[in-house]
């Protein structure tokens, strides 16, 4: 069995860790690292029967993930202090999951700090962050202008002392994207966490997770995003039996019904998410997504080159209209 | 991958895969005397691969990858495959290891107590450690020294010593030629030749040692000089020499604080190896007990 399949089955709880031969762990660990899921796997298999070296490695990963999470929340606190007191901002993705204490946060690797700020506040937020010690990462004027004119976020900023990146979003998909979710609704309906941060409300969080995975980018790191979706759905259904219905209506409002439905089906197929009857259908197109999500060889390397390229092209196709795409590729190609 | 091997160095089990047979064969010769446990799952994976399919045969060049990669790393010619493997192994440890505080330092041990030598490339720390390893000390590490956060002990990581430039002739004159790897001439780091540690150093690679001295050697200068170093400066220098200090959070801070509080530290400059060795012996006699 392939290592990436074994990883997915272990996460889903379909396979007993004790059934792996010692050397099968080689591939599982490499693939989990490549997919940023090693911390998640080590939490999922805490207490399972594991070979001693694997148990020791997983204990390291759990401890490291806990520290990394504390550091990520500290970074959010730093942003809060840098931004004006009355500024509204909403945590997104990994930091939001950690701040809200959601189950996918356990062991989860958190990269940059992602925040959402209303469009009318974006200039002010940028100034305050620059005064607070963040600096622009991309000195290239084309890239800078590209971010400002077409993207859903500011050019990335990095803190000069702590060396941590912040992505300041004003919406959740590029401005030129075919799908245009409603950013005002995202901010207006955000909910507070016990630690005093704001995060997206459950249905928006699930919409963002699906949009991020399926509409923005080429599905790289998709297994991790899909695990987030699987866990979010589990957490939110447990708290609210009407979650799926509300999610459907919200996805329709944001124009993300296709993405949310597909995310749900993929989560069911790979991680065993329980779906309500209306959602539980089969779409022949899903198999390409499943193949793309599982495109890792037993050494953690990318496999299925053509499919990866196809998804890469698709991501650009979704992100900008054809004429603009041509201009963009031409500019990028000329400066190679 | 087409070719692969497994190597255990100190607490880390590596799995190394390659598109070519040569780097794996070279690794197997260099690490033939290291203990092997074929059943043990790998902590870290290294991949040596052709960045473009035709680069497997046409001017073959080795891209270094694995669990962790450096995005813009330049490939090396196949003749330097052994160096690529070494860099790949170092990279996985530097970026992936979390069990211990990692210091970019060499170390030697005597009577269960360790001398840690920290310094930038070219400071001579590897050469000093290799020379000490031939004169009554156990060579623990030439590149990474691991500090256990719970006990404060130093742990060995005795991979094959990477001798550079003048150090090659200096060591070749002293050791059995069978302990030397092939000469890799004209690499980006100069000439390189690997030295297999003595069998007793390999056999004792799991034995911890109590840190007794921290030295910051600097090769060059006209005369020998020894300068005691305060805890604060040693602390700051070692945070810069650590690849995972930040990632370990409070445990890293506690381990490093303890290390600099309990271990005397000195900066030393030395014009030649003989002087360097004499200085280490003198400091060991005076402060290392």
């Amino acid at each position: 069995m392939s290592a990436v399949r074994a990883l997915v089955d272990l996460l889903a709880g379909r396979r007993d860790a004790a059934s792996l031969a010692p050397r099968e762990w080689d591939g599982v660990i490499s693939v989990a690292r490549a997919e940023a899921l090693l911390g998640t796997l080590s939490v999922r298999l805490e207490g399972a029967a594991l070979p001693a070296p694997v148990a020791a490695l997983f204990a390291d990963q759990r401890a490291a993930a806990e520290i990394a999470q504390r550091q990520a929340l500290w970074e959010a606190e730093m942003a809060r202090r840098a931004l004006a007191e009355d500024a509204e901002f909403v945590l997104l993705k990994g930091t939001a999951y950690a701040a809200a204490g959601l189950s996918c946060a356990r062991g989860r690797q958190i990269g940059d700090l992602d925040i959402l700020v209303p469009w009318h506040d974006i200039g002010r937020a940028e100034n305050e962050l620059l005064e607070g010690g963040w600096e622009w990462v991309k000195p290239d004027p084309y890239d800078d202008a590209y971010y400002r004119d077409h993207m859903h976020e500011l050019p990335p900023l990095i803190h000069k002392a702590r060396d941590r990146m912040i992505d300041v979003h004003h919406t959740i998909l590029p401005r030129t994207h075919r799908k245009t979710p409603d950013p005002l609704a995202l901010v207006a309906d955000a909910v507070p966490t016990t630690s005093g941060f704001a995060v997206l409300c459950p249905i928006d969080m699930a919409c963002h997770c699906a949009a991020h995975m399926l509409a923005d980018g080429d599905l790289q790191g998709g297994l991790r995003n899909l695990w987030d979706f699987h866990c979010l759905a589990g957490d939110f259904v447990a708290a609210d039996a009407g979650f799926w219905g509300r999610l459907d209506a919200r996805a329709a409002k944001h124009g993300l019904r296709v993405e949310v439905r597909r995310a749900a089906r993929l989560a069911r197929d790979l991680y065993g998410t329980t779906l309500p009857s209306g959602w539980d259908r089969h779409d022949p197109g899903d198999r390409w997504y499943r193949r793309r999500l599982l495109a890792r060889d037993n050494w953690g390397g990318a496999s299925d080159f053509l499919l990866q390229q196809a998804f890469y092209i698709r991501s650009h196709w979704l992100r900008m209209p054809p004429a603009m795409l041509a201009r963009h590729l031409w500019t990028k190609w000329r400066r190679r | 991958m087409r070719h692969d091997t497994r190597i255990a160095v100190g607490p880390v089990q590596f799995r190394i895969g390659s598109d070519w047979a040569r780097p794996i064969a070279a690794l197997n010769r260099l690490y033939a005397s290291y203990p092997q446990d074929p059943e043990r799952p790998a902590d870290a994976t290294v991949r040596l691969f052709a960045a473009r399919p035709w680069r497997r045969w046409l001017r073959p060049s080795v891209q270094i990858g694995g669990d962790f990669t450096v995005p813009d790393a330049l490939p090396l010619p196949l003749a330097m495959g052994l160096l690529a493997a070494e860099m790949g192994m170092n990279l996985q440890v530097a970026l992936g290891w979390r069990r211990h505080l990692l210091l970019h330092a060499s170390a030697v041990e005597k009577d269960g107590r360790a001398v840690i030598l920290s310094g930038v490339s070219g400071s001579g720390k590897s050469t000093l450690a290799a020379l000490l390893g031939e004169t009554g000390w156990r060579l623990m590490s030439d590149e990474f020294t691991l500090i256990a956060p719970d006990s404060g002990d130093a742990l060995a990581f005795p991979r094959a010593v990477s001798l550079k430039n003048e150090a090659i002739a200096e060591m070749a004159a002293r050791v059995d030629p069978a302990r030397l790897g092939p000469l890799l001439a004209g690499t980006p780091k100069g000439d390189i030749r690997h030295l297999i540690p003595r069998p007793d150093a390999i056999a004792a690679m799991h034995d911890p040692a109590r840190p007794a001295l921290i030295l910051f050697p600097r090769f060059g200068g006209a005369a020998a000089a020894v300068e005691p170093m305060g805890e604060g400066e040693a602390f700051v220098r070692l945070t810069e020499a650590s690849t995972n200090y930040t990632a370990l959070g409070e445990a890293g801070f506690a381990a490093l604080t303890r290390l600099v509080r309990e271990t005397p530290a000195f900066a030393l400059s030395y014009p030649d190896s003989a002087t360097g060795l004499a200085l280490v012996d003198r400091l060991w006699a005076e402060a290392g007990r």
Side-chain angles (χ1 to χ4, degrees):
Chain A
M1 179 195 264
S2 80
V4 65
R5 267 284 170 200
L7 169 67
V8 166
D9 289 350
L10 286 166
L11 286 171
R14 269 192 299 270
R15 187 157 177 201
D16 185 1
S19 73
L20 266 78
R23 292 273 295 277
E24 269 186 275
W25 287 102
D26 288 351
V28 170
I29 289 167
S30 279
V31 171
R33 276 216 169 99
E35 294 289 338
L37 278 167
L38 190 59
T40 302
L41 182 68
S42 64
V43 165
R44 190 84 175 87
L45 297 184
E46 191 169 3
L50 301 169
V54 176
L57 183 72
F58 283 8
D60 298 343
Q61 298 300 319
R62 285 192 293 271
E66 214 167 287
I67 294 161
Q69 202 146 108
R70 209 176 310 148
Q71 289 172 338
L73 288 172
W74 177 249
E75 202 54 29
E77 177 58 31
M78 292 290 94
R80 170 155 68 185
R81 291 184 194 180
L83 295 168
E85 245 168 66
D86 57 335
E88 279 183 292
F89 79 94
V90 181
L91 295 179
L92 298 174
K93 301 189 223 175
T95 316
Y97 305 151
L102 293 163
S103 61
C104 62
R106 295 198 58 222
R108 191 187 189 278
Q109 191 175 312
I110 302 175
D112 308 338
L113 172 62
D114 293 284
I115 65 171
L116 177 70
V117 172
W119 171 242
H120 57 265
D121 270 347
I122 201 94
R124 194 172 76 161
E126 184 175 14
N127 281 336
E128 283 162 355
L129 289 171
L130 289 172
E131 279 173 18
W134 279 267
E135 305 173 323
W136 288 300
V137 183
K138 300 208 176 198
D140 183 288
Y142 175 80
D143 287 347
D144 190 84
Y146 183 85
Y147 265 91
R148 288 173 194 282
D149 295 345
H150 306 305
M151 286 296 279
H152 50 309
E153 60 196 351
L154 288 174
L157 293 159
I158 193 161
H159 195 274
K160 59 183 166 206
R162 291 189 307 278
D163 206 27
R164 306 270 308 205
M165 300 251 276
I166 185 168
D167 284 332
V168 184
H169 303 244
H170 49 80
T171 181
I172 55 173
L173 283 177
R175 294 161 75 178
T176 49
H177 200 283
R178 276 141 222 253
K179 300 288 170 72
T180 48
D182 178 355
L184 286 178
L186 295 172
V187 176
D189 293 341
V191 293
T193 68
T194 47
S195 45
F197 288 107
V199 298
L200 296 176
C201 67
I203 44 181
D204 278 342
M205 204 181 258
C207 283
H208 180 211
C209 183
H212 177 59
M213 170 169 57
L214 294 173
D216 186 18
D218 58 359
L219 267 80
Q220 229 184 81
L223 276 184
R224 200 262 305 263
N225 297 328
L226 190 65
W227 179 254
D228 288 341
F229 189 91
H230 166 74
C231 293
L232 291 177
D235 289 357
F236 296 153
V237 165
D240 167 17
F243 168 72
W244 289 109
R246 267 185 273 284
L247 176 60
D248 205 34
R250 191 67 163 189
K253 176 183 166 70
H254 287 307
L256 292 170
R257 213 151 167 258
V258 174
E259 286 75 13
V260 168
R261 292 255 169 172
R262 175 158 278 143
R265 292 194 305 271
L266 293 170
R268 170 201 62 194
D269 295 348
L270 295 188
Y271 295 131
T273 317
T274 314
L275 299 185
S277 56
W279 295 60
D280 207 4
R281 52 182 283 269
H282 289 271
D283 182 316
D286 286 353
R287 74 193 179 98
W288 298 106
Y289 291 83
R290 285 195 298 268
R291 249 181 79 175
R292 173 63 187 90
L293 289 167
L294 299 174
R296 289 268 172 212
D297 63 30
N298 289 356
W299 285 79
S303 62
D304 227 334
F305 178 77
L306 286 178
L307 189 67
Q308 300 227 16
Q309 286 298 308
F311 270 92
Y312 180 73
I313 292 164
R314 168 188 174 270
S315 75
H316 277 73
W317 180 249
L318 290 173
R319 202 177 278 171
M320 45 188 115
M324 186 184 154
L325 178 58
R327 237 183 359 258
H328 176 69
L329 293 178
W330 171 246
T331 314
K332 282 284 182 186
W333 178 79
R334 274 204 329 188
R335 54 181 55 226
R336 262 157 50 109
Chain B
M1 307 226 62
R2 281 191 168 70
H3 310 274
D4 67 275
T5 189
R6 309 174 75 78
I7 296 170
V9 182
V12 189
Q13 174 71 55
F14 293 96
R15 165 176 76 141
I16 300 133
S18 165
D19 280 346
W20 305 271
R22 273 170 62 189
I24 297 298
L27 278 173
N28 284 339
R29 270 197 302 278
L30 212 50
Y31 287 92
S33 61
Y34 282 60
Q36 282 272 7
D37 176 2
E39 284 291 280
R40 183 179 159 187
D43 297 297
T45 289
V46 176
R47 291 188 294 129
L48 306 176
F49 59 100
R52 298 271 178 273
W54 58 88
R55 284 279 170 252
R56 189 170 292 163
W57 300 282
L58 188 70
R59 281 197 289 121
S61 53
V62 185
Q63 194 79 40
I64 302 165
D67 295 339
F68 297 89
T69 13
V70 177
D72 305 317
L74 289 174
L76 290 170
L78 182 55
M80 297 174 194
L82 199 51
L83 175 62
E86 174 197 310
M87 290 168 72
M89 289 163 75
N90 287 345
L91 184 68
Q92 305 316 315
V93 175
L95 299 184
W97 196 250
R98 293 287 180 272
R99 198 167 305 158
H100 308 104
L101 178 70
L102 267 171
L103 299 177
H104 185 221
S106 51
V108 291
E109 175 262 354
K110 199 188 264 185
D111 307 331
R113 296 161 65 77
V115 177
I116 296 168
L117 301 140
S118 174
V120 292
S121 300
S123 63
K125 65 180 191 314
S126 291
T127 314
L128 266 186
L131 285 165
L132 289 163
E134 302 301 320
T135 54
W137 296 76
R138 162 173 62 120
L139 177 73
M140 295 178 73
S141 323
D142 88 308
E143 180 83 10
F144 291 125
T145 299
L146 289 62
I147 305 295
D150 46 356
S151 66
D153 282 343
L155 293 171
F157 186 77
R159 46 152 231 189
V161 180
S162 185
L163 300 170
K164 294 188 189 81
N165 303 320
E166 298 80 30
I168 297 174
E170 188 159 9
M171 292 308 297
R174 292 165 187 255
V175 304
D176 176 1
R179 284 179 52 209
L180 291 170
L183 176 70
L184 309 173
T187 78
K189 301 176 175 188
D191 292 352
I192 288 182
R193 201 163 177 192
H194 290 93
L195 168 71
I196 302 166
R198 297 173 72 91
D200 49 328
I202 295 169
M205 71 179 179
H206 296 300
D207 298 352
R210 202 78 206 148
L213 264 183
I214 305 169
L215 303 180
F216 295 89
R218 200 165 62 86
F219 181 73
V226 175
E227 198 71 47
M229 190 181 287
E231 290 169 11
E233 188 179 348
F235 179 89
V236 171
R237 286 211 196 190
L238 290 175
T239 58
E240 286 164 5
S242 174
T243 54
N244 66 0
Y245 170 73
T246 312
L248 289 183
E250 202 177 338
F253 176 77
L256 197 53
T257 314
R258 178 176 172 187
L259 179 68
V260 299
R261 289 221 166 115
E262 295 181 355
T263 321
F266 297 89
L268 52 103
S269 27
Y270 58 101
D272 54 70
S273 300
T275 315
L277 289 176
L279 284 180
V280 174
D281 278 333
R282 198 187 96 201
L283 284 169
W284 178 253
E286 288 170 4
R289 314 242 140 206

